[in-house]
Amino acid sequence: MEKEKEFIMKPKNDFCFKELMMDDEVRKGFLAACLHIDPEEIKETRILPTHLRKKHKDDKLGILDVRISMNNQKEINVEIQLIYMKYWKERSLFYLCKMFSDQLHEGEEYGELEQCIHIGILDFNLFPDDKEYYSCFHLWEDSRKRQYSDKLELHVLELPKLGKHQYPEDALLKWANFLNGTQKEEMEAVAKTDKYVEKAY
């Protein structure tokens, strides 16, 4: 009976994470932390259908974990992956590019395309040679670092690195530690430091 009372579902559990993202405040706090913006900049978020359109019968089906519209200006795909996947980079690019191209319909102008963002929360190391647990990628010119476009953006969180290195304390680290938590006490401790993580807890 005591064990039953102490049970808490791990936040990185696929079902649990998707349920957390259904809450407006939790979603707002999480996205603000990932995108390094003030939560007050997020005026509105909406959950969108997760099935990517198949234009042809033979097209590969894409089903996203969580798909969000933010401020009617950005589309965000949040994926949580607990098992190592050899072609994760290719899969994340496929989802991101398909989400980007799905925005336009016949007769619409390219200028109507909104920014698309992929956030991958991984329970394995995608970049084992790097100590950083968080990475953000854009389209840049190689030598001058001139940005080609801000329309595509990828964020990666590698949870296994959290116990091995020290990182500056910020909102994203709090979320990463919370999602990576396995014990009620450690999740509760993180929750006390951030009102959005507390709502998730």
Side-chain angles (χ1 to χ4, degrees):
M1 191 67 176
E2 191 62 32
K3 282 186 178 178
E4 191 176 312
K5 283 186 354 187
E6 286 300 310
F7 172 78
I8 186 166
M9 188 177 288
K10 294 175 184 177
K12 65 185 176 186
N13 171 283
D14 188 61
F15 171 81
C16 184
F17 180 77
K18 289 177 184 178
E19 285 298 304
L20 288 175
M21 289 297 106
M22 294 301 112
D23 184 280
D24 288 340
E25 284 296 296
V26 172
R27 200 162 59 234
K28 177 179 179 178
F30 174 76
L31 290 178
C34 285
L35 303 179
H36 296 91
I37 59 175
D38 189 309
E40 296 310 309
E41 291 181 42
I42 302 178
K43 305 303 179 187
E44 179 260 355
T45 63
R46 287 182 294 112
I47 295 294
L48 299 175
T50 55
H51 282 64
L52 296 169
R53 278 190 300 159
K54 284 182 68 170
K55 295 189 175 85
H56 306 287
K57 183 182 66 165
D58 295 332
D59 284 355
K60 185 169 179 64
L61 179 65
I63 303 175
L64 310 179
D65 282 350
V66 183
R67 187 178 185 180
I68 304 165
S69 168
M70 188 178 96
N71 295 342
N72 284 320
Q73 296 175 329
K74 302 177 191 291
E75 273 199 33
I76 302 166
N77 165 223
V78 187
E79 296 288 318
I80 191 151
Q81 181 67 29
L82 303 183
I83 301 169
Y84 172 75
M85 180 177 284
K86 184 177 180 181
Y87 297 111
W88 177 259
K89 295 174 188 175
E90 289 78 6
R91 176 178 163 176
S92 60
L93 283 170
F94 174 78
Y95 282 176
L96 183 64
C97 293
K98 187 125 177 65
M99 192 167 70
F100 186 66
S101 63
D102 273 3
Q103 295 180 76
L104 277 192
H105 299 83
E106 189 172 352
E108 294 178 334
E109 296 293 331
Y110 293 111
E112 297 177 48
L113 288 165
E114 301 289 358
Q115 185 183 38
C116 284
I117 298 170
H118 172 90
I119 299 172
I121 304 163
L122 309 180
D123 206 22
F124 60 89
N125 290 331
L126 191 64
F127 306 107
D129 295 332
D130 300 336
K131 72 174 186 178
E132 291 80 9
Y133 81 96
Y134 165 76
S135 306
C136 181
F137 297 91
H138 295 87
L139 291 172
W140 300 99
E141 195 284 325
D142 287 347
S143 58
R144 300 189 306 280
K145 300 297 182 258
R146 168 77 66 189
Q147 192 173 54
Y148 186 81
S149 170
D150 69 346
K151 297 293 185 183
L152 298 179
E153 188 173 294
L154 295 104
H155 300 254
V156 180
L157 281 74
E158 298 167 90
L159 299 181
K161 293 180 178 179
L162 294 176
K164 299 176 181 176
H165 306 282
Q166 294 295 315
Y167 302 104
E169 183 77 20
D170 61 8
L172 182 59
L173 184 63
K174 291 174 183 177
W175 273 103
N177 282 323
F178 173 73
L179 292 172
N180 200 41
T182 57
Q183 302 297 320
K184 184 176 179 180
E185 294 75 17
E186 61 183 320
M187 285 184 269
E188 192 173 37
V190 179
K192 290 176 179 176
T193 67
D194 183 286
K195 69 176 185 178
Y196 297 105
V197 176
E198 185 177 31
K199 182 75 187 293
Y201 176 74

